[in-house]
Amino acid sequence: MALLEKTIQEASADFELRIPMTYAQFLTELSEDVHAEWVNGETILFMPPKPEHQRVVSFLLTVIRLFVEHFNLGEILTAPVEMKPTPVSNSREPDLLFVASENLERFGDAKLEGPADLVVEIISPESEIRDTVDKLREYEAEGVREYWIVDSRAGKERALFYVLDDAGRYRRVPPDRNGVYTSTVLHGFWLNTKWLWADPQPGALEVFALLIEPDELIKTISQSQLT
């Protein structure tokens, strides 16, 4: 354990560290707060994300959580939470994952033991191929119904949205001409992609107010004042 921690500390911030390891070792030799994934017999250790990455994660987490909790749609969580859809699948820790109310039984004591309904990955300098190729294939095969890939790096701003079709294959769904994407999993939720790289980003409550009807917003505020 001490050697593993020393290896983590010595790794470069721009370096993706891979260590051959069984899944049993992955479960026992890493502390819970280490962001890592077990992929094809190797543990991939991730360096701390950059502030711009976490700003996008925080924005999406807050906005989606407000929406999900208001309409009692399920649960939205952020990394590090392990998602292992099958006993033989890779172990991933998506930046964000949403599980619908009807699928909450997929959560075990230690991990999500099945696919999330929605996964969001924010591209880091070293994760572009992993997010746009490797995970795209895995999430499609494992039945993740909707997959968002967000790149907010300067000069590379884009958002890709994939939805499973009836044949179990991902279909890319572009935002409309105004940059707005409407989710198929979070019913009634839409996202203006320009918010993701706006400086400053709009406030989460401001966005929430745009997402729901005025009467619903007044009802929400009134209920919060009574509790």
Side-chain angles (χ1 to χ4, degrees):
M1 183 66 172
L3 178 59
L4 178 59
E5 291 178 350
K6 184 174 183 294
T7 304
I8 295 171
Q9 292 170 1
E10 291 177 347
S12 164
D14 294 324
F15 184 63
E16 179 187 284
L17 187 63
R18 292 174 176 262
I19 304 173
M21 187 179 294
T22 66
Y23 181 64
Q25 290 174 315
F26 172 80
L27 293 178
T28 57
E29 296 190 15
L30 275 70
S31 61
E32 292 182 357
D33 58 347
V34 173
H35 187 188
E37 296 180 339
W38 185 79
V39 181
N40 300 326
E42 294 181 318
T43 289
I44 305 174
L45 296 170
F46 303 110
M47 297 305 102
K50 296 188 183 329
E52 70 173 37
H53 178 282
Q54 290 306 93
R55 290 188 189 104
V56 177
V57 170
S58 179
F59 172 75
L60 286 174
L61 174 65
T62 305
V63 170
I64 296 174
R65 177 169 284 164
L66 284 170
F67 190 86
V68 165
E69 290 182 351
H70 178 75
F71 292 105
N72 195 28
L73 298 179
E75 189 168 10
I76 177 83
L77 296 173
T78 186
V81 174
E82 182 183 1
M83 181 179 77
K84 199 168 192 300
T86 71
V88 297
S89 65
N90 290 330
S91 171
R92 296 293 191 178
E93 291 189 348
D95 287 317
L96 292 169
L97 61 82
F98 164 76
V99 179
S101 297
E102 62 269 23
N103 296 321
L104 290 177
E105 76 280 354
R106 294 176 184 173
F107 280 110
D109 293 335
K111 57 180 171 286
L112 178 61
E113 299 171 348
D117 293 285
L118 166 67
V119 165
V120 182
E121 298 284 9
I122 314 301
I123 291 179
S124 298
E126 78 289 347
S127 75
E128 186 167 1
I129 297 300
R130 182 172 65 245
D131 292 337
T132 61
V133 178
D134 300 339
K135 290 187 176 183
L136 181 68
R137 292 170 179 165
E138 285 184 33
Y139 295 161
E140 178 185 67
E142 291 160 356
V144 175
R145 293 194 288 148
E146 195 169 329
Y147 179 34
W148 303 0
I149 305 171
V150 176
D151 192 343
S152 62
R153 294 174 295 169
K156 298 184 178 182
E157 294 90 347
R158 60 175 175 160
L160 307 175
F161 303 94
Y162 295 90
V163 176
L164 276 185
D165 62 21
D166 292 338
R169 301 296 300 273
Y170 271 145
R171 173 175 55 91
R172 184 174 166 185
V173 181
D176 68 18
R177 62 182 180 179
N178 296 314
V180 172
Y181 172 75
T182 301
S183 175
T184 61
V185 169
L186 300 170
H187 300 295
F189 183 91
W190 54 270
L191 177 73
N192 188 329
T193 56
K194 297 175 184 176
W195 295 336
L196 298 171
W197 36 81
D199 185 17
Q201 283 179 329
L205 285 177
E206 177 186 350
V207 171
F208 180 60
L210 292 172
L211 293 173
I212 66 175
E213 297 294 331
D215 290 345
E216 284 287 332
L217 180 61
I218 294 172
K219 179 181 175 181
T220 299
I221 295 173
S222 299
Q223 289 176 339
S224 66
Q225 290 175 340
L226 292 174
T227 58

